[in-house]
Amino acid sequence: MTKIRLYQLSDFDECLRLFDGNTPDFFDATERTAFCDFLRTSSQTFYVVERCEKILACGGYALGHGDNVASLCWGMVDQKLHGQGLGRALIEARLSAIRALPSIKMVCISTSQHTQRFYGRFGFAPVKVTPDGHGPGMDCWDMTLQLRQ
């Protein structure tokens, strides 16, 4: 059975394993330090997806950019398990948590050309594309999803 729960510091190594398994295809190696720092100081808005007590995906959201905007951050799935619905479950859980916050009107994400279509399926629209914005060969796609007016 697949379970989504809040991240705990004891999940650090498994989340780092997911990051390493998605580098360099989905993350640039230079982002590893920032991800480690994030995990060490994570708020209660970061989740893990597990099955049989093994972490298969993780991701969260951050509040900021004004009082009415949330940003998806550090979403990743074990690369051997892409296409099995784990990413869908993770984004649906994060968006559900964000929608429960009545002040949030928009959700942003900074992603790459490799995952922008995935986020587009959930209604995210590109607002800016920066070639090599996440590292050499990894374009930065800034995308938004309007929740409320």
Side-chain angles (χ1 to χ4, degrees), residues 27-48:
F27 293 100
D28 188 77
T30 61
E31 297 176 285
R32 192 176 199 269
T33 300
F35 184 56
C36 288
D37 291 345
F38 176 84
L39 289 176
R40 287 187 184 103
T41 60
S42 175
S43 68
Q44 291 298 303
T45 59
F46 197 69
Y47 302 90
V48 296

Side-chain angles (χ1 to χ4, degrees), residues 38 43-47 59-74 91 93-111 119 124-125 127 141-148:
F38 176 84
S43 68
Q44 291 298 303
T45 59
F46 197 69
Y47 302 90
Y61 66 92
L63 301 176
H65 301 89
D67 293 331
N68 58 1
V69 179
S71 299
L72 295 182
C73 58
W74 299 114
I91 194 170
R94 293 188 288 167
L95 289 176
S96 178
I98 292 168
R99 283 187 175 105
L101 303 170
S103 65
I104 303 299
K105 296 181 180 3
M106 183 182 347
V107 183
C108 300
I109 187 164
S110 177
T111 192
Y119 290 104
F124 284 85
V127 293
W141 281 65
D142 292 319
M143 302 177 80
T144 60
L145 169 67
Q146 195 73 37
L147 296 180
R148 308 173 175 89

Side-chain angles (χ1 to χ4, degrees), residues 10-84:
S10 60
D11 300 325
F12 181 89
D13 289 338
E14 283 299 299
C15 289
L16 197 55
R17 178 189 61 79
L18 291 174
F19 178 89
D20 291 341
N22 279 288
T23 304
D25 295 336
F26 297 95
F27 293 100
D28 188 77
T30 61
E31 297 176 285
R32 192 176 199 269
T33 300
F35 184 56
C36 288
D37 291 345
F38 176 84
L39 289 176
R40 287 187 184 103
T41 60
S42 175
S43 68
Q44 291 298 303
T45 59
F46 197 69
Y47 302 90
V48 296
V49 180
E50 64 181 9
R51 189 180 297 145
C52 299
E53 299 184 24
K54 181 171 168 104
I55 295 174
L56 308 176
C58 62
Y61 66 92
L63 301 176
H65 301 89
D67 293 331
N68 58 1
V69 179
S71 299
L72 295 182
C73 58
W74 299 114
M76 61 194 82
V77 173
D78 185 313
Q79 194 164 21
K80 295 173 282 196
L81 301 174
H82 286 189
Q84 295 187 21

Side-chain angles (χ1 to χ4, degrees), residues 112-128:
S112 74
Q113 71 270 26
H114 304 297
T115 53
Q116 54 88 13
R117 283 190 186 105
F118 171 79
Y119 290 104
R121 284 186 244 143
F122 294 92
F124 284 85
V127 293
K128 181 180 177 187

